[in-house]
Structure formats: structure tokens, C-alpha cells
Amino acid sequence: MHVGGARTAIYNYLFAKATGGTFYLRIEDTDRKRYNEDALNDLLRDLKWLGLNWDEGPYFQSERLEIYGNAALELIEKGHAYYCFCTEERLQTLEHGYDRHCRDLPPEEAKKRIEAGEKFVIRFKTPLEGTTKFSDLLRGEIETPNKDLDDLVLLKRDKFPTYHLASVVDDHSMQTSHVLRGDEWISSTPKHVLLYNAFGWEAPLFCHLPVILAPGGGKLSKRKGAASVGDFRDLGYLSHALVNFLSLLGWSPGDDREVMSLKEMIDAFSLERIHPKAVAFDEKKLEWMNGMHIRALPDSFFADELKKLYPNCQDESKFLKVAELLKPRLKFTTELASMSKYFFEAPEKCEDEKAKAKYWTEHSIEHIDWVSKELEKIPNEDFCIKNIEAAFMKVCESNGIKLGLLAQPARLVICGVGAGPGLWEIIECIGKNECVYRMGKAKNF
Ligand code: ZN
């Protein structure tokens, strides 16, 4: 699911929820050449992951073929549609679209040809004169001369409807009040309005949403980096952050709020605050927003994630402590695994050659041994940040060592990496015995 489609779904969802409407899901699967079951399953998964739970559906158009077939016949009876027997070969020779070759075939002749087994499509009898008007909620009144519209196909040779016929029939029968869709459909809307008129139905209100541009301009596509909901999920973005970010690509709550919960977005949403101008996708901002949403999650969320990662650890309070320490540093939830590893498993080697080159000296093993002995002296019940810090300070002062030259090598031995939360907090969390054990293996580094 492309993020553009996701944003369209988000606006439909927010609008339905904000106005007490029904957000229903309809699968427009009538183009059998493009039908792909995996793509359908991905789409359903992505909608669920985004939290856009539908109130009704999914309705599958492929299960409603009889309804569209009858609707097409109804238009033929009313004189608004006709059978077209032109072959693909003939149509390919036409340079300026369909030439209305079959528009005036007498009904008896059409009937005979159908009975003789000739293949046909059903086309709409677009008025040759006049104009068709509709009012787009974002762009205002749009008027199209009917002579610019072709006699569009309603029912294809395989008896499947086109998007035009199926969406009009369904939007009417499913009592759709508002159609919020991408602006690539804006040129089709006059045709849809003509169809509503021909059926004698009231058309819904239309709102065509502007495209999302790539940061450097042009359409946002896979070639230019992540562009689908699945891409961002795999990168470790929270669904809430992605929904929040996408909602603001073209809409604003009317104040300076940016980080919002789904409930806050619903409460603030209105179509009047959607901007008609195309907006660019700014992944840096999405990253920032993801961090904000991570910070807003309770520590227990990350404690539960850690529990899944380290099923052998029995210490419940440790999960919460590690969650507290790492949450402020996470940009992506996917970083939790790599960032938490040393809290639960001794590092096998130094994974940070740069920090090692900078801080490790020929005296480091000796220094670590001294501080290890100081830590051991602390009674278990007093093994706290204050006393851990005092142990390091004592070794520094009595031997004239700078804290960095003691703490950084100790960190490398305990964690295997040179960066992370405060060292005293880490040592307290890992515990005295394990830290002393790791420091005893300093020569392996
Ligand atoms: Zn024809």
C-alpha cells in the first residue's frame, strides 16, 4: 500500500469518525488482469496495522457482478447506453479514441448479433452537447464540455464492470455520502456525474486529494526510497507516528499541534482544513515524529517487547529498568533488540573499534581491575548509582586517572559498545556480580 493511498484511507477514516459516519471497505477487484491475492492480503494487513479498522465490509465487487450487469441493462433500456461489437483490432486502428461506431445500431440488430454469439461491451451514451458540472470540496466548481468525454465502457467483454460503472453503482447502493480520493480521478468524475444523472440518482460529494511529492519533487515512488506502508513498518516506524505524519500531509488541525493521538486527530478533523496544494514527504520529520510517539508510549510497552526478546530472563523488574533507560534513546522500535543486548548477555568482544582506539591504553586492564575490586566492596543492598559513582571516583582520585580513561574502557568491557545510557545506571541494572564477572574478562578485549 503506497503512502498516498494510506493517506486517502486515513482522511476517509478520520472524516467518518469525526462526523459519526461509517467507514466501510470496498475491494475494487474487477480488473482481472491486475488482480493479485497477495496484494489484497497486504492491503488488508496494512490497513489493520495502521489501526484503520473498518465498520463494514470488505465488500468485494467481484461478488456483485449481477448487480452491475443489471445496472448496465437498465441504462440500455433507458437509452443511456448501447452495445458495442467493435473488435480489439478495430479499436486499435482508431487514433482519437472510440468513434461511436455502434452508438446508433438498431436494438433489433444488436439483439441478433448477441444471439449469434458475437462478443460485445456496453458503452455509455455520453451526451454530445452541453456541459457537466460538479463541485469539488477542495477545488470548487469544475465544468467539462460533454464533447470532450468519450463513450466510456461500462461492462467489459468478460462481463466485469469497469471502475466507472462499479464505483457509481456501489456508491449509490452503499449510501456513500462523500468520495475522498486521489486527484488522478478528477478527470473521471464528470463521467461519474453523468452516470448518476442517467440512473436518476443523487451524486455523492467529491473531494480530490492532492498528490504527495517526493522530497526533491516528482511523485513519491519506491525508486526514491521508502514509499509504502510496509517499507516504513520494516524500518521500525510506529503505526501511530505514520498515521499522524500522513494526516498532516495536506491537513492541519488549525493550531500548532503536530504530535497527536488518533483520538485528537478525529476530534480536530474537518474537510475544510485540507489544503488543495501538493505537499512533499519529509522523512526527517517522520523520524522526529516517530521519536515523539515512542516517548509517549508507556515504559511497560517496551518492557513487554524486551520480555519477548529475552524469554530466559526471569527478572521482571529488569525489563522495566532497561525500558526506562533505552526509551529516551530510541529512534525506532526496531533498535530495541540491538541496544538492549548487553543488559542481558555479556558481550563477546568489543564492537566499537573507534571508541577502543580512543580510550583503551596499556593500563586499562589494571584500572578496570581496581574499580572492579571497589565495586565488589559495596554491599549488595547498597549497590546503587551513588555508590557505583563513588567507587569510580575513588579509583580516579587515588591513582590520578581521568574519569574518561577509566569509565570508557569499563563501559567497553561491560557493554561491548562505547555509547548508551549513563554507565552507573547500566552497572546498577546489570548488577554487581555480573559486572565484576565481565570486568574480570577485560584481558579478552
Ligand atoms: Zn463499437
Side-chain angles (χ1 to χ4, degrees), residues 84-86 90 98 101-102 123:
C84 164
F85 299 92
C86 295
R90 178 174 186 277
Y98 183 60
H101 181 74
C102 307
R123 288 183 183 273

